């Protein structure tokens, strides 16, 4: 039973923390009906819908948050992610540029732009953006993994291997790094290392 003193946003947060995004939505919708100029409510609604893969509805919520509260970094980032997941890459890039105009070192946005270029098979361009993300946070495993993938696509196997080793230095149990490192070894004919890394990937899944 919820505390009557809690705000709608607090009650919605409590449900989301329990994994109940669907349960949070009617609470947010009811609150929006009486606080239609509260951009935070629209953003949180968008976040819930995004997690539920309700992308069209999430986009509407984020756009409303922007109309009410302006181009905040959080809203632009999440709206960009919605567009990206929907395959609307140019719209996603437009949102990400807005973020970088304010926060040029945003590792998540830099990485996401790299992922768009990777999806477009613009591998050199993708590596450029992943490198920016890595410079922003050298210890973030995600951008190292993606950098390694983009380098592998360019047949820069030695450089790719270096990034996989960096990932495992930061997180020895990172299954994808073990798997991809094993695939690189197999491509080079190093079957002993290849099967060893493949086996480690299965252990750490």
């Amino acid at each position: 039973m919820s505390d009557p003193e809690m705000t709608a946003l607090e009650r919605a947060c409590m449900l989301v923390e329990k994994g109940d995004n669907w349960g949070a939505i009617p609470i947010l919708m009811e609150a929006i009906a009486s606080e239609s100029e509260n951009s935070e409510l629209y953003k949180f609604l968008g976040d819930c819908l995004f997690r539920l893969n309700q992308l069209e509805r999430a986009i509407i919520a984020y756009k409303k948050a922007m109309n009410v509260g302006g181009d905040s970094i959080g809203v632009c980032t999440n709206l960009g992610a919605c567009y990206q997941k929907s395959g609307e890459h140019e719209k996603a890039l437009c949102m990400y540029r807005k973020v970088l105009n304010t926060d040029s070192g945003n590792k998540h946005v830099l990485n996401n732009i790299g992922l768009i270029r990777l999806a477009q098979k613009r591998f050199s361009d993708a590596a450029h953006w992943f490198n920016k993300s890595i410079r922003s946070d050298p210890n973030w495993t995600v951008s190292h993994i993606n950098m390694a993938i983009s380098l592998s696509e360019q047949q820069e196997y030695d450089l790719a291997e270096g990034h996989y080793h960096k990932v495992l230095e930061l997180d020895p149990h990172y299954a994808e790094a073990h798997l991809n490192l094993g695939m690189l070894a197999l491509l080079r004919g190093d079957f002993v290392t290849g099967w060893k890394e493949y086996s480690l990937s299965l252990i750490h899944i």
Side-chain angles (χ1 to χ4, degrees), residues 1-2 68 76 104 106 147 159 175 181 191 195:
M1 189 170 179
S2 61
V68 171
C76 289
S104 61
N106 189 306
M147 172 64 102
L159 293 174
L181 201 52
F191 298 105
W195 287 115

Side-chain angles (χ1 to χ4, degrees), residues 50 55-56 59 80-89:
F50 180 79
L55 300 180
E56 288 185 13
I59 287 169
C82 274
Y83 284 135
Q84 182 175 350
K85 198 170 183 181
S86 300
E88 298 184 79
H89 290 159

Side-chain angles (χ1 to χ4, degrees), residues 173-188:
H173 305 303
Y174 204 120
E176 186 181 358
H178 282 295
L179 176 62
N180 292 356
L181 201 52
M183 294 298 292
L184 280 183
L186 291 173
L187 280 172
R188 291 168 157 181

